[in-house]
């Protein structure tokens, strides 16, 4: 009985806090902070971890079907090395390394700001796994700031896939992030993805709600 | 003769570029990126570097009378350590450690955003020099974003000491930095000081010109 009351209380408090948030500003998105990570092809999984090796999911990510893996690799740049970089699954058609601009300083690589998947002409890097090392000719990016949403969300926010919007952040180091790409897909779950540089600069907290503003309103 | 012509060419190109900048936007400031650093009292200089020790200036800073020293210390936090942290001179009345939020993650300290000198109630830290170690009870801050300017600059920008303004940054990771403190003094030289987190997030470059916007215009 107490258990049931507790559950009701939780649901009521969730409804109240969501209602409060929506009545303050109906155009808000939760923050998801992406640390540096790597997406691998089947071939590269085998070169780094051994023939026939399968990645081990250990934590689901906000976007349906995506997961963090137990496996990690080292990034070897011309100037430095970063160890214990997480692999994200599932496997992809192209290997891609997503780092922040400050990671780039450590490695000696300048990652261009790109939307995930758009790696043509980007810098290369070497990866070291427990069973081998590979050198990519391209694939290192600083992922653009982006908001995952469903078509229904897009209707609510009055935006379309690939639109650019602004995001307002309150606080001691508040401000506005521009050039935020809208990414609409059926499998999406509403999430505003920033890298650790943006999170540190704006003092963003995982799960915090922030406000979208349309480009033309600025 | 060639030397004289070269100098004239340089001066003309400087005038043209300044004129272009001013005609595009008359309210711009140059960016100065501050890496983590430490200000020391006389007493702490002696405890870290030895009795009677004098700091060695090796590079003047943008603000008159301020200089980077040859001397460096290690920061020892509860979670980690950062080596080779630069001392800035001259000596001060209070020892102060200015780090970024991401430095704070490495050290295991959450630096509050404060204006330089305002250290009451801030976290402590230990410092290690070649001749000794000290433990501060307070003094660790993340310096607020601020713009140094003279009273004449303040008149031009129509702002007063301690005002808060916004700064606009263009580019792939552009946006707006809010909560930027105006600091007016006779000895100032116009400079917009940000920490390395802001520099990395906004892809700012040392010496780049960016635009001030008054708070009310947003």
């Amino acid at each position: 009985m107490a258990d049931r009351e507790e559950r009701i209380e939780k649901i009521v408090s969730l409804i109240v806090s969501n209602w409060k948030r929506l009545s303050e500003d109906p155009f808000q998105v939760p923050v998801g902070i992406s640390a540096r990570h790597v997406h691998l092809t089947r071939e590269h999984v085998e070169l780094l971890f051994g023939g026939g090796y399968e990645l081990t999911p250990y934590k689901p990510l906000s976007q349906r079907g995506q997961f963090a893996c137990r496996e990690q690799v080292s990034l070897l740049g011309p100037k430095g090395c970063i160890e214990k970089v997480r692999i994200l699954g599932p496997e992809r058609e192209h290997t891609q390394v997503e780092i922040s601009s400050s990671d780039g300083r450590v490695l000696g690589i300048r990652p261009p700001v790109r939307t995930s998947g758009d790696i043509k002409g980007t810098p290369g890097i070497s990866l070291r796994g427990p069973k081998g090392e590979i050198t990519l000719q391209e694939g290192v990016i600083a992922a653009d700031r982006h908001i995952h949403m469903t078509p229904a969300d897009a209707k609510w926010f009055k935006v379309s896939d690939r639109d650019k919007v602004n995001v307002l952040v309150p606080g001691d180091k508040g401000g506005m992030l521009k050039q935020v790409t809208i990414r609409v897909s059926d499998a999406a779950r509403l999430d505003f993805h920033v890298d650790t540089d943006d999170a540190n600069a704006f003092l963003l907290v995982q799960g915090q709600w922030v406000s979208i503003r349309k480009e033309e309103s600025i």
Side-chain angles (χ1 to χ4, degrees), chain A:
Chain A
M1 199 52 196
D3 187 47
R4 199 183 154 219
E5 270 172 33
E6 230 173 70
R7 260 158 43 203
I8 292 175
E9 257 177 45
K10 258 192 196 164
I11 291 168
V12 169
S13 104
L14 199 66
I15 291 172
V16 169
S17 76
N18 273 316
W19 175 82
K20 265 194 188 160
R21 184 167 45 71
L22 281 168
S23 63
E24 275 164 15
D25 183 344
F27 303 117
Q28 292 191 65
V29 286
V31 170
I33 301 167
S34 300
R36 63 184 82 100
H37 62 268
V38 175
H39 301 280
L40 292 174
T41 61
R42 173 93 291 260
E43 184 198 352
H44 288 160
V45 167
E46 298 202 345
L47 286 169
L48 292 165
F49 296 97
Y53 192 90
E54 294 290 340
L55 293 170
T56 330
Y58 98 107
K59 213 172 93 181
L61 298 176
S62 72
Q63 301 310 298
R64 274 179 264 269
Q66 308 286 308
F67 51 89
C69 302
R70 286 213 182 279
E71 289 76 12
Q72 296 175 321
V73 290
S74 294
L75 306 181
L76 317 175
K79 217 186 100 185
C81 158
I82 298 179
E83 296 185 336
K84 295 188 183 170
V85 179
R86 188 68 64 187
I87 310 294
L88 300 193
E91 290 159 8
R92 290 206 179 174
E93 288 232 2
H94 297 281
T95 289
Q96 177 174 299
V97 177
E98 297 183 39
I99 61 173
S100 69
S101 174
S102 48
D103 291 337
R105 284 172 197 277
V106 174
L107 297 165
I109 292 173
R110 271 184 184 235
V113 178
R114 294 282 185 95
T115 295
S116 182
D118 176 18
I119 58 168
K120 205 172 170 192
T122 59
I125 196 167
S126 294
L127 307 181
R128 182 186 293 149
K131 291 289 168 63
E133 202 175 303
I134 58 172
T135 296
L136 309 174
Q137 293 311 306
E138 59 182 19
V140 181
I141 66 169
D144 61 352
R145 304 148 166 181
H146 57 273
I147 302 174
H148 291 287
M149 56 174 67
T150 63
D153 292 327
K155 217 169 168 181
W156 174 262
F157 289 109
K158 299 186 182 72
V159 293
S160 306
D161 191 45
R162 305 286 147 172
D163 275 3
K164 297 279 185 184
V165 299
N166 301 318
V167 170
L168 274 179
V169 176
D172 284 346
K173 290 191 73 186
M176 185 185 293
L177 298 96
K178 299 187 100 172
Q179 308 289 349
V180 180
T181 310
I182 297 291
R183 288 169 59 182
V184 180
S185 85
D186 289 317
R189 270 182 54 190
L190 189 63
D191 215 8
F192 169 40
H193 282 183
V194 293
D195 67 14
T196 46
D197 280 348
D198 282 335
N200 286 323
F202 285 91
L203 305 179
L204 290 166
V205 173
Q206 184 79 8
Q208 169 185 358
W209 289 79
V210 290
S211 298
I212 293 186
R213 289 289 176 272
K214 297 285 282 292
E215 191 70 45
E216 57 263 43
S217 72
I218 304 308

